[in-house]
Amino acid sequence: MEGRPVRASQEPGSLPRARQGPEPQRLLTTLLGDYWFWREEHIPSAALVRLLEEFGITATSARAALRRVASRGLLTSSRSGRTTAYGLPPRAADVIVTHIRRLLMFGAATPRWDGQWTVVTFSVPEDQRDTRRLLRDGLRLLHFGMLFDAVWVSPHDKTDDVAELVRRLGVPDAMVFRARKVADDDVRPVLDRAFDIAALRARYLRFIDAHLPVAERLATSSPCPAEALRLRTAIMTDWRVFPTLDPDLPAELLPEGWPRDEARRLCVQIYDSLGEPAERRFREILAEFDPELAVLVTHHTFAQVSAMEPPAKRRHTSFDETTDRDRLDLLSRGDLTG
């Protein structure tokens, strides 16, 4: 077992607090990510409200969702006369590409294990509670599991990521090291304490139970464009929580019959097969308000996103911080029962 202390810088950094994202907001961001991918043009707010109405969201709730998503920095607004429109923030394209790739490529392969754990230990004084919370939040975002309050573990090599985190937060008494030996060579106590595998398995099974009937129906019939839009958006809205909730444990640490592969195959099947009719419905609705914008609507598939070149490494942006708040909300609520 080799260890090294991590020296913190004197300038404390910050990580975002958790924030809850109501369902209309998740639907809105899913729709824009699916059909307005990489577009800079702004869409009239009335069109976006109409799109959300397809999902049973009232106009009042839809307008409130637009305002909240914009206030969080995920959208920007503009006005032309009496018309308000919303679009992606300037220079957000690379950020969006990164998040879409992460979402659609998650679970494509199960990592292999090198037999080592990354272990983080730290001591933060009681009068620095905010720093301690930020450190724990950062470890959660890196998919570490907590063994004890100040002992966190991951089966992935996250040494450099943790070193950067503690330097950014200014935590002087922290150590990160790689460890191979577990008492009695039994990793189950570590897994049981640090990662709630049973609850995650149950959530994958609920995902399969909810969407398998849709796949079976699609094998014999084709939905209308409006239903295709609803079904495709529903499965992606449900799938998008898994890259946050699932620590992507190596195959050697997973129980037999782990359901993620089946859940992902189901998601790919439904999402990709409904792309064209769902796009048609999105375009029809937007054409009611702006026919010129409607021709720009498009969709992407899992295969297309997998073939995209990954963006170059970039600095953490305010857009990332906002999505981190959403991820922390899921993790802090232990949202494996939804």
Side-chain angles (χ1 to χ4, degrees):
M1 179 169 65
E2 297 181 356
R4 62 181 175 89
V6 179
R7 301 300 179 189
S9 66
Q10 297 303 307
E11 291 294 329
S14 63
L15 281 173
R17 287 182 177 270
R19 171 174 287 189
Q20 186 172 358
E23 188 65 18
Q25 295 182 51
R26 284 197 291 269
L27 283 170
L28 177 62
T29 53
T30 298
L31 285 164
L32 292 174
D34 283 346
Y35 306 101
W36 207 243
F37 183 61
W38 230 339
R39 301 302 316 183
E40 297 181 353
E41 296 84 356
H42 284 200
I43 297 177
S45 60
L48 295 172
V49 169
R50 177 66 187 86
L51 279 165
L52 289 177
E53 287 177 337
E54 291 280 288
F55 300 87
I57 306 298
T58 66
T60 299
S61 294
R63 285 190 288 269
L66 279 168
R67 290 192 296 269
R68 288 167 184 158
V69 172
S71 70
R72 294 163 55 208
L74 296 178
L75 292 177
T76 57
S77 62
S78 60
R79 290 188 65 87
S80 177
R82 300 181 61 182
T83 300
T84 300
Y86 291 89
L88 295 173
R91 299 178 298 280
D94 285 348
V95 183
I96 302 297
V97 171
T98 299
H99 285 271
I100 292 292
R101 276 180 54 84
R102 174 176 172 268
L103 175 61
L104 269 62
M105 295 186 69
F106 177 75
T110 301
R112 308 300 297 184
W113 193 32
D114 65 2
Q116 297 190 73
W117 298 88
T118 303
V119 183
V120 181
T121 64
F122 57 86
S123 177
V124 179
E126 185 64 24
D127 61 355
Q128 298 179 23
R129 295 178 184 175
D130 286 346
T131 299
R132 184 168 54 201
R133 173 184 57 77
L134 291 169
L135 178 57
R136 289 172 176 168
D137 284 349
L139 292 172
R140 289 188 181 98
L141 290 175
L142 290 172
H143 281 148
F144 275 77
M146 183 176 69
L147 283 179
F148 303 99
D149 284 349
V151 181
W152 294 63
V153 297
S154 168
H156 305 294
D157 187 356
K158 299 291 185 73
T159 307
D160 292 341
D161 294 324
V162 176
E164 172 60 26
L165 174 67
V166 299
R167 288 191 187 101
R168 179 153 45 97
L169 295 179
V171 180
D173 297 322
M175 177 173 284
V176 54
F177 54 87
R178 299 280 283 158
R180 182 179 297 275
K181 182 68 176 177
V182 176
D184 300 323
D185 294 321
D186 185 3
V187 300
R188 287 176 299 178
V190 176
L191 295 173
D192 291 344
R193 188 174 185 92
F195 306 101
D196 197 346
I197 296 177
L200 183 59
R201 178 190 182 96
R203 177 140 190 173
Y204 275 121
L205 292 175
R206 285 193 298 274
F207 178 94
I208 293 168
D209 288 344
H211 297 286
L212 183 59
V214 175
E216 293 173 342
R217 183 156 56 89
L218 292 178
T220 59
S221 62
S222 299
C224 67
E227 186 181 15
L229 179 64
R230 289 191 294 269
L231 293 174
R232 191 172 191 259
T233 304
I235 197 166
M236 183 49 61
T237 301
D238 288 350
W239 175 258
R240 63 185 284 186
V241 304
F242 287 118
T244 294
L245 298 177
D246 186 342
D248 199 20
L249 296 178
E252 293 84 350
L253 299 179
L254 292 172
E256 290 188 13
W258 186 243
R260 186 175 72 184
D261 285 349
E262 182 181 355
R264 189 178 189 276
R265 281 193 298 269
L266 186 63
C267 187
V268 172
Q269 176 186 349
I270 293 175
Y271 185 82
D272 285 4
S273 66
L274 294 178
E276 291 186 7
E279 176 191 312
R280 194 178 315 135
R281 182 55 179 162
F282 192 109
R283 186 182 297 114
E284 288 172 354
I285 293 173
L286 184 52
E288 298 174 12
F289 302 88
D290 193 322
E292 292 183 1
L293 285 180
V295 301
L296 303 177
V297 175
T298 188
H299 74 280
H300 49 256
T301 65
F302 275 78
Q304 289 170 338
V305 170
S306 297
M308 294 172 57
E309 288 290 332
K313 189 173 182 180
R314 54 185 177 75
R315 297 181 61 183
H316 209 66
T317 68
S318 59
F319 194 100
D320 292 300
E321 292 175 357
T322 300
T323 57
D324 282 350
R325 282 193 287 269
D326 292 338
R327 294 173 60 204
L328 283 170
D329 178 65
L330 281 172
L331 292 168
S332 65
R333 289 187 287 121
D335 197 357
L336 289 169
T337 59

